Structures are given as structure tokens and as C-alpha cells.
């Protein structure tokens, strides 16, 4: 029986197995110990087993301490460094067992060593590779989602957490469809089943655009690439997801900038054209006014009622010709950036003059006009002609918007605004503004009229802003639209 036990011990070639007496002297030494440590049986029998410890451990008293712990606990296991005969060190898995007889008396110790240096090195290399891969995946801006062949999420990267708004613990073990809009979840499951059945891929191996859904319900555009691998006979799919939100936003902004450049170039061209037209039109307007005045003078002071009416009409026509010439000169000065002549004006008189021109034909069209001029706001510092042009434009637009309305009520009012400013309002009961035009109402070339150029409100805004004020539009109380603009009140030092 002892011989058979010896054969069994020597046959364990991968293990160093030896026995020691209670003092730690080697009594049995197998061939595995000889191959692992380099000493023959004759060289170690009777020697203290501390010869197998590193000098540092020997100086620290570890050999005696290990035997004491084994005797007290019955058995100890650890991983520590050991010496070979040639002085080299190796990492060993060590087991020391206390051997006792029937009476409990300590007879010695049995010791088993296994060289785990290569195993640990391999494990450390794998761990380093895993850590390296994790560090790469943690810094890659694309989200990574790993799922099994049933579409169940197995891994969720840090970038995926940031992109989708879920913690990894919330999604691992869940169907990947939770990351998709409801309309696309069924399609994904169908594509996966078709692929597993037929082997024909739908998205695997390609990069394609799609939609995803964040934890807060927001649906956003993505670009996804899906790869497949087999581990231990089990299929896994890895999806790399890129958020296209910023890309689409950048593209949108670029399109807006391009559109704005076109817009600016058109406005610049319009400014040049306006300056040219102002110069050219002023001469015929002056000639028209001269002819009208000459004709009026030729009529003289006649007692003929018809001629009297004609003379009055000629005077009004001449006055409007002079007014048109003034407008054209102010327009040219405005385009050229010259002084446009801000002066202290009476607001009530300014509004009355503008409405007398803007309301031409309003009575015949069935428009009911209400004017409310606030007291104490009678002096403003403005360019009279330009502000009257703003009022005329808004009044004519209001009348046109009510052309098809059953209720045609036009309100022109002034009221206090913030300190030092007065607000002028032109409100109608017309068709109102479409949502699509409201945000760009005051942009050049934006219009709702079939034959409109879209310059009227843009010029109004430019004029009002040149006065330091602002102009805006809002829906009327019951229907239609109310336009408001602010102009500065004249101070005592302006008078």
C-alpha cells in the first residue's frame, strides 16, 4: 500500500508534493518537486523547507509562521513566490496541511506546490487587453450596444449611457427595441428573425441611417453599424451607434447661412436699386408738381364751380407730388446713411396726416375706423415722413387683409409704452397671419400677397429700428392682426 501511494505521488508530475516533520524538515520528495524546483531527493531530505522561500520571506520569518498557521488552522492556501535551485523565482499556488494521528498529536505537514507563473501571466495579459479595450470603448464617441441572438442587451457602453440617457443596469437584460421608436420596434424583431431563419442580412455589415429614442422619449436621428460574432457557439451582435443630431443641426445652420447670404445680397442689390430709383424718380416728380401748379395758376380765381373743384384737385395733386418727392429724397438719404432729419413732431397731427392718405377708399370698402390718441403723448422725436410711411403701409395692409371679412373694423391708437416711449397700434379684423409667415414677417421678400414683393414690412422695421424702437405683430383679441411699433418721446432738451 505504501509503495502504491509512492507511485501515485510520483505520478503527479505537475505538482511538487513533499512532506515535512513537525520542525519543517523534508521527509518525502516526489519527482514533480524535483522537476519543478531542481533539487533531487538526496539534496533536500532532512533539510528545512525554508530553503524554498525567497530571502525576503526567510528574513521576515514567514516559513515558521506558515507552519504555525497550518498547525493552528489545519490547512492554509496561498499564492506566493518560491525559489528554484538555480536561484530563479516562480509564482506558486501553495497548500500546507497539518498531519495528526488518532490522538491529535502533530506528526508533520504535507505540502503541495503548483507553478502558476504562466497562468497568471496569461491572465494578466488578458486582463490588460480587456482593460485596454474598455478604455478604447470608453473614449469612442459612438455608443456600443451588444445583444444576443434574441435581441436581448448584454452590454451597454458609457457612450451609450450618455447618448440614450439610460444607466447600463436599466437596459442590460432588456430587449433592444426599447432604444427604438415604437414604430420601428416590430420591424427590428422581424428582421432579426428573418436573418436567423434565412441567413440573409438586412442591416448586418452595413452602415445605415435610422431613428432612436432616448429615455426621455426624444426621437433622434442616428447612424448604425451592426457586426456579428460567434463565441462558444453563441451568436452575438454588436451595434455601433452615432448620434446625427449635431450633424443635422450643423447642416440646417449651413443652409440657413446660405439662405441668409442670398437674402443679404438681394437686400444689398435692392438698396442700390432704391438709391438709383430715388435719384431718377425725383426729377419727374418735380416736373409733375410744376405742371400741376402751372395749371392751377392758369385757372386763376374763377367763379365757375367746376373750375373751382378742378383747382382744388390740382392743389391736392401737387401737394401729394411734393410729398412723393420728399419721400423719395428721404428714402435716398436713408439708403445712403445720411441724416434723415429727426425733429420734434406732434404725434396727433402726424397720425392724422398719415391716416388721411392711408384711408383713401376705406369708407367705400365698408371699413369702420376707430382712432384713439392718448393724451399727454403729443411730442415725439422722429422723421415725420418716414413714420408716416410706416403708418400708411400698416393701414393699407390692414384694409387689404379685411377685403373678404364680414366684419371690417380698423383701430388706430397711441398709448404709453416703456418710459420715454409711445406705442402706436394698427389693428384689423382681417384674416390674420399664417403660422409659417409669422416668424419671418419682417424679413425682406417675405410676403403673403400673390403680387407682393415682401419689402413693405421690412422697410417699416428698418425705419422703426433706425429710430431706436421696435415693431412687432400679434393676433388680435378676437380676429385679425395687431401691429405695434414704438417711437421715442421728445424730451425738454429736444424742444
Amino acid at each position: 500500500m505504501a509503495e502504491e501511494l509512492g507511485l501515485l505521488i510520483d505520478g503527479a508530475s505537475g505538482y511538487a508534493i513533499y512532506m515535512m516533520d513537525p520542525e519543517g524538515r523534508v521527509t518525502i520528495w516526489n519527482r514533480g518537486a524535483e522537476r519543478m524546483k531542481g533539487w533531487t531527493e538526496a539534496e533536500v531530505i532532512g533539510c528545512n523547507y525554508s530553503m524554498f522561500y525567497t530571502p525576503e520571506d526567510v528574513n521576515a520569518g514567514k516559513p515558521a509562521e506558515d507552519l504555525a498557521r497550518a498547525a493552528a488552522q489545519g490547512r492554509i492556501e496561498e499564492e506566493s513566490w518560491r525559489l528554484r535551485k538555480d536561484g530563479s523565482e516562480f509564482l506558486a499556488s501553495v497548500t500546507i496541511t497539518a498531519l495528526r494521528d488518532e490522538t491529535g498529536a502533530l506528526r508533520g505537514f504535507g505540502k503541495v506546490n503548483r507553478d502558476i507563473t504562466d497562468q497568471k501571466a496569461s491572465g494578466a495579459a488578458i486582463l490588460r487587453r480587456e482593460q485596454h479595450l474598455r478604455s478604447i470603448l470608453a473614449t469612442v464617441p459612438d455608443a456600443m450596444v451588444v445583444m444576443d441572438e434574441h435581441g436581448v442587451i448584454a452590454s451597454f457602453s458609457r457612450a451609450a449611457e450618455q447618448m440614450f440617457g439610460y444607466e447600463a443596469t436599466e437596459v442590460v437584460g432588456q430587449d433592444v427595441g426599447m432604444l427604438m421608436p415604437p414604430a420601428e420596434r416590430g420591424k427590428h424583431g422581424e428582421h432579426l428573425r428573418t436573418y436567423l431563419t434565412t441567413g440573409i442580412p438586412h442591416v448586418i455589415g452595413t452602415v445605415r441611417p435610422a431613428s432612436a429614442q432616448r429615455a426621455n422619449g426624444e426621437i433622434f436621428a442616428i447612424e448604425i453599424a451592426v457586426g456579428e460574432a460567434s463565441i462558444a457557439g453563441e451568436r452575438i451582435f454588436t451595434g455601433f451607434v452615432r448620434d446625427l443630431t449635431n450633424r443635422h443641426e450643423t447642416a440646417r445652420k449651413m443652409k440657413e447661412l446660405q439662405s441668409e447670404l442670398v437674402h443679404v445680397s438681394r437686400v444689398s442689390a435692392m438698396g442700390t436699386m432704391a438709391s438709383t430709383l430715388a435719384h431718377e424718380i425725383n426729377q419727374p416728380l418735380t416736373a409733375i408738381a410744376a405742371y400741376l401748379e402751372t395749371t392751377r395758376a392758369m385757372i386763376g380765381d374763377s367763379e365757375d364751380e367746376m373750375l373751382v373743384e378742378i383747382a382744388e384737385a390740382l392743389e391736392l395733386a401737387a401737394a401729394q407730388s411734393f410729398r412723393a418727392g420728399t419721400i423719395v429724397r428721404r428714402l435716398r438719404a436713408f439708403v445712403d446713411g445720411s441724416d434723415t432729419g429727426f425733429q420734434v413732431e406732434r404725434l396727433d397731427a402726424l397720425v392724422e396726416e398719415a391716416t388721411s392718405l392711408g384711408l383713401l377708399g376705406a369708407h367705400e370698402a365698408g371699413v369702420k375706423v376707430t382712432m384713439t390718441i392718448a393724451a399727454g403723448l403729443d411730442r415725439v422725436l422722429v422723421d415725420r415722413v418716414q413714420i408716416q410711411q410706416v403708418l400708411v403701409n400698416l393701414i393699407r395692409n390692414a384694409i387689404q387683409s379685411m377685403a373678404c371679412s364680414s366684419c371690417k373694423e380698423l383701430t388706430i391708437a397711441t398709448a404709453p409704452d416703456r418710459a420715454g416711449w409711445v406705442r402706436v397700434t394698427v389693428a384689423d379684423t382681417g384674416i390674420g397671419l399664417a403660422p409659417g409667415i409669422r416668424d419671418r414677417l419682417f424679413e425682406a421678400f417675405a410676403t403673403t400677397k400673390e403680387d407682393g414683393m415682401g419689402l413693405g414690412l421690412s422697410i417699416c422695421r428698418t425705419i422703426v429700428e433706425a429710430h431706436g424702437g421696435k415693431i412687432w405683430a400679434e393676433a388680435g383679441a378676437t380676429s385679425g392682426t395687431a401691429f405695434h411699433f414704438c417711437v421715442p418721446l421728445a424730451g425738454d432738451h429736444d424742444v
Side-chain angles (χ1 to χ4, degrees):
M1 186 66 179
E3 184 180 355
E4 293 173 348
L5 181 59
L7 292 173
L8 177 62
I9 293 174
D10 282 337
S13 59
Y15 293 85
I17 302 174
Y18 54 98
M19 297 182 68
M20 301 168 291
D21 63 16
E23 284 72 34
R25 292 184 291 268
V26 178
T27 57
I28 296 177
W29 185 257
N30 81 332
R31 291 178 182 175
E34 184 175 331
R35 284 191 290 269
M36 184 181 298
K37 295 176 180 287
W39 283 285
T40 64
E41 183 179 19
E43 291 174 310
V44 299
I45 294 297
C47 296
N48 192 282
Y49 92 119
S50 62
M51 65 186 295
F52 309 131
Y53 281 74
T54 63
E56 294 80 9
D57 286 346
V58 172
N59 292 334
K62 182 172 174 55
E65 180 184 338
D66 287 349
L67 291 184
R69 287 194 297 123
Q73 300 174 17
R75 176 190 178 94
I76 62 170
E77 295 181 6
E78 66 177 13
E79 294 177 359
S80 59
W81 291 94
R82 292 292 185 267
L83 280 179
R84 294 189 176 93
K85 182 179 178 179
D86 61 7
S88 62
E89 297 182 4
F90 66 97
L91 185 63
S93 171
V94 180
T95 302
I96 302 176
T97 304
L99 305 175
R100 297 182 182 276
D101 59 17
E102 295 83 356
T103 63
L106 181 64
R107 299 289 300 276
F109 299 91
K111 189 170 183 180
V112 179
N113 285 4
R114 183 167 60 89
D115 188 346
I116 60 172
T117 306
D118 293 340
Q119 175 185 330
K120 285 294 183 180
S122 176
I126 292 173
L127 181 61
R128 284 195 300 272
R129 285 197 297 271
E130 288 179 349
Q131 291 175 339
H132 188 203
L133 179 60
R134 288 194 189 100
S135 68
I136 292 174
L137 293 177
T139 55
V140 169
D142 295 344
M144 186 188 73
V145 182
V146 180
M147 59 184 176
D148 64 17
E149 60 184 9
H150 302 294
V152 176
I153 299 173
S155 178
F156 203 66
S157 72
R158 186 181 305 170
E161 291 180 331
Q162 296 172 348
M163 182 181 296
F164 288 94
Y166 290 107
E167 296 291 335
T169 54
E170 297 179 88
V171 299
V172 171
Q174 303 294 323
D175 190 280
V176 74
M178 70 180 295
L179 305 178
M180 304 174 186
E184 297 188 16
R185 292 173 188 171
K187 294 180 183 179
H188 169 75
E190 182 180 341
H191 293 325
L192 184 58
R193 288 189 294 271
T194 301
Y195 174 66
L196 294 175
T197 303
T198 65
I200 300 175
H202 179 71
V203 298
I204 296 173
T206 63
V207 178
R208 69 182 187 96
S211 297
Q213 182 170 323
R214 305 189 205 274
N216 61 7
E218 176 190 353
I219 296 176
F220 63 104
I222 62 170
E223 188 177 73
I224 183 169
V226 180
E228 179 186 6
S230 179
I231 299 178
E234 181 181 355
R235 284 175 171 174
I236 63 168
F237 301 95
T238 303
F240 289 91
V241 184
R242 178 169 296 173
D243 189 342
L244 299 182
T245 304
N246 290 337
R247 183 187 300 180
H248 287 182
E249 180 65 17
T250 300
R252 185 189 66 79
K253 288 182 178 179
M254 287 297 296
K255 187 176 180 180
E256 288 181 354
L257 286 174
Q258 291 172 352
S259 176
E260 186 66 20
L261 285 174
V262 174
H263 169 76
V264 169
S265 65
R266 292 174 70 187
V267 171
S268 178
M270 183 59 68
T272 303
M273 184 177 69
S275 180
T276 303
L277 287 174
H279 175 74
E280 297 299 329
I281 292 175
N282 193 53
Q283 292 181 358
L285 284 174
T286 303
I288 290 171
Y291 282 125
L292 290 171
E293 288 186 333
T294 301
T295 304
R296 171 67 183 87
M298 291 172 64
I299 293 175
D301 297 329
S302 174
E303 295 182 359
D304 189 325
E305 292 184 0
M306 178 63 72
L307 290 177
V308 170
E309 291 182 2
I310 292 174
E312 291 179 353
L314 289 172
E315 289 178 355
L316 291 174
Q320 291 304 319
S321 296
F322 280 119
R323 174 181 170 79
T326 304
I327 291 172
V328 169
R329 287 193 299 273
R330 293 294 176 85
L331 175 61
R332 184 178 181 186
F334 184 76
V335 171
D336 293 340
S338 305
D339 181 17
T340 53
F342 284 27
Q343 294 181 355
V344 176
E345 303 284 352
R346 286 184 57 86
L347 182 59
D348 54 353
L350 185 152
V351 172
E352 185 177 349
E353 289 180 10
T355 53
S356 64
L357 179 60
L359 292 175
L360 288 174
H363 178 72
E364 291 77 5
V367 177
K368 178 183 177 182
V369 181
T370 302
M371 292 186 59
T372 305
I373 306 299
L377 303 173
D378 56 335
R379 296 186 304 173
V380 290
L381 183 63
V382 297
D383 183 308
R384 179 176 58 85
V385 174
Q386 289 187 356
I387 294 302
Q388 285 181 339
Q389 282 304 108
V390 173
L391 273 168
V392 170
N393 193 302
L394 295 180
I395 291 170
R396 299 308 300 174
N397 284 349
I399 293 173
Q400 291 177 15
S401 73
M402 295 187 290
C404 299
S405 299
S406 58
C407 177
K408 301 179 181 181
E409 295 182 1
L410 176 64
T411 302
I412 303 170
T414 64
D417 198 76
R418 65 186 187 276
W421 293 82
V422 60
R423 181 173 69 251
V424 182
T425 299
V426 178
D428 61 66
T429 56
I431 58 176
L433 297 173
I437 195 67
R438 188 183 299 274
D439 293 338
R440 54 190 188 92
L441 187 62
F442 295 98
E443 295 180 5
F445 308 108
T447 182
T448 58
K449 304 174 184 177
E450 293 183 0
D451 57 349
M453 294 185 64
L455 291 173
L457 290 177
S458 175
I459 292 173
C460 288
R461 182 187 67 176
T462 305
I463 290 173
V464 172
E465 290 181 351
H467 284 72
K470 63 176 182 176
I471 184 171
W472 70 98
E474 59 187 15
T478 56
S479 63
T481 308
F483 283 86
H484 311 275
F485 67 91
C486 296
V487 291
L489 290 167
D492 294 335
H493 61 280
D494 298 317
V495 179

